[in-house]
Amino acid sequence: MTMRQDYPAVQTLLQQPSLDTDLKNIAEKILRQERITPAEGLTLFEKGDVCFLGALANHVRERMHGDKTYFNRNFHIEPTNVCVFTCHFCSYSRLYKNREDGWELSIDQMLDIVKSYDGQPVTEVHIVGGVHPKMQLDFFVELIKKIKAHRPDLHIKGFTAVELDYMFRKAKVSVEEGMRILNEAGLQSMPGGGAEIFHPDVRAKICHDKVDADGWLAIHRAAHNRGMVTNATMLYGHIESYEHRIDHMERLRQLQDETHGFNTFIPLKFRNKGNDMSDIPESSIVEDLKLYAVARLYMDNFSHIKAYWPMLGRNTAQLTLSFGVNDLDGTIDDTTKIYSMAGAEEQNPSMNTAQLAQLIKQAGRRPVERDTVYNEIKDYTDVVFSDEELLLTK
Ligand code: V47
Ligand code: SF4
């Protein structure tokens, strides 16, 4: 393993006479561990170059986590891609009237997926899909109970706030009551999807018909109030401005101050194949890295920043580990289609534990397997993998 050098990157940067005064002041605040304001966040986007932002974000990342980089062993279940909503960026969903082009899994089919992992050391199932008008609260309560009955140790992370908002409205239960029902059935945490960009001007253009920002935040607040942890995402790199990104992160930072229930912030890069927004070019890698860095600097009350490798591709995901990111999600095992259908490089996303750990080691970091709530399971830093384990990918 190549060891990364310890370098005084931030101090050196601050001594550059050419450094913009605003950037210098913000950097000094960050070094003093003070919170930056929305205006300062915007300045970072507008004036900070990728090296400056990367050095600062890396400093914060190492202050918080050292070289540790987390991943887990998980698989996804996508119950359906039939959806009542019409998000223009979505390459994955099919309207109910076209449902013969999509898929709808029965409870038994989903249990068979869970059973196919019997004896394998996965710790999490991530359940997320379209919003199917006939798959309602009772259906998912039965699914969760049956998964738990079959494999009580498997952590169930499931359903975006968009799915839950529809489920609860259809079942005519309050958000609090709906969360109680699902949590008591065995749902333990929630993924961060459906957040997109909170600002109403953007939401009106890209996903006008699903739950709004306040509704999304209310569902996460209700989960946090029950002691459940959740994640938060931001779909970036389409029509949003830097102001919209800061507005989005600010709303999340405020809820986190209130509840401390978020685990991880996950920026999701807009991929433009096969959807109504295909005319919008995808963001450059430099913009991606800047975004991850600003996210690390702005979201000071979020412990973890995750790069979701099936969406970014494994090479860019590896790079983000020097730009504030300390989590790469999981092994996935080719069980999600959301990004491959939108044109991501990873057409069959799957990495075994050795490959994921090796990817992290190649970046000079310590690969640490975690469970969903970040209990550490195993440090792979000193584990040497055979070519067979790595499937000869180097
Ligand atoms: O909300 C849909 C995004 C999300 C596209 O919490 C797209 O651990 C890019 O939230 N280009 C669902 N993104 C997935 C999600 C998620 C994924 C991994 C881990 C976690 C977690 C959560 O996928 C949607 C939407 O923002 N999405 N279409 C697209 N064309
Ligand atoms: Fe439906 Fe989710 Fe796709 Fe929107 S992003 S159309 S809610 S599946």
Side-chain angles (χ1 to χ4, degrees), residues 80-94 129-131 160 162-163 194 196 207 209-210 338:
T80 183
N81 67 339
V82 173
C83 191
V84 298
F85 296 120
T86 55
C87 306
H88 295 303
F89 53 80
C90 184
S91 319
Y92 158 92
S93 64
R94 298 292 176 266
V131 179
T160 65
V162 174
E163 294 166 272
E196 322 313 357
C207 56
D209 50 1
K210 71 185 185 188
I338 300 179

Side-chain angles (χ1 to χ4, degrees), residues 299-319:
M299 307 298 265
D300 59 354
N301 54 3
F302 275 65
S303 297
H304 307 286
I305 305 289
K306 184 194 284 189
Y308 185 54
W309 67 265
M311 172 269 293
L312 267 184
R314 58 191 81 184
N315 295 334
T316 309
Q318 196 178 35
L319 260 180

Side-chain angles (χ1 to χ4, degrees), residues 74 76 87-92 124 126 128 157 160 162 190-196 210 216 230-236 264 266 268-273 275 282 306 308 310-311 329 332 336 338-339 341-343 370:
N74 63 352
H76 288 219
C87 306
H88 295 303
F89 53 80
C90 184
S91 319
Y92 158 92
E124 173 191 281
H126 177 161
V128 70
K157 176 173 94 177
T160 65
V162 174
M190 276 171 60
E196 322 313 357
K210 71 185 185 188
W216 191 100
T230 73
N231 291 336
T233 58
M234 175 170 77
L235 179 71
Y236 73 91
T264 314
I266 314 164
L268 294 170
K269 174 188 173 112
F270 166 65
R271 308 304 310 241
N272 71 2
K273 299 288 176 303
N275 56 49
E282 292 181 356
K306 184 194 284 189
Y308 185 54
M311 172 269 293
D329 200 80
I332 314 281
T336 176
I338 300 179
Y339 296 101
M341 289 172 80
R370 60 162 175 85

Side-chain angles (χ1 to χ4, degrees), residues 51-74:
C51 296
F52 174 82
L53 296 174
L56 260 186
N58 193 50
H59 173 86
V60 173
R61 181 257 205 244
E62 291 184 359
R63 188 174 73 209
M64 295 175 81
H65 303 288
D67 279 332
K68 282 183 185 171
T69 300
Y70 294 103
F71 68 95
N72 71 351
R73 296 205 237 189
N74 63 352

Side-chain angles (χ1 to χ4, degrees), residues 98-149:
N98 302 323
R99 63 190 180 282
E100 63 285 355
D101 298 339
W103 67 86
E104 301 164 321
L105 300 183
S106 65
I107 288 183
D108 284 344
Q109 286 172 312
M110 291 190 263
L111 269 180
D112 284 344
I113 297 176
V114 174
K115 288 176 186 164
S116 71
Y117 290 90
D118 284 358
Q120 294 189 41
V122 287
T123 57
E124 173 191 281
V125 55
H126 177 161
I127 306 174
V128 70
V131 179
H132 192 299
K134 303 250 157 85
M135 290 182 178
Q136 298 182 13
L137 185 58
D138 292 350
F139 176 87
F140 288 114
V141 166
E142 187 184 335
L143 172 69
I144 293 167
K145 284 186 173 164
K146 286 190 166 160
I147 294 176
K148 275 285 163 196

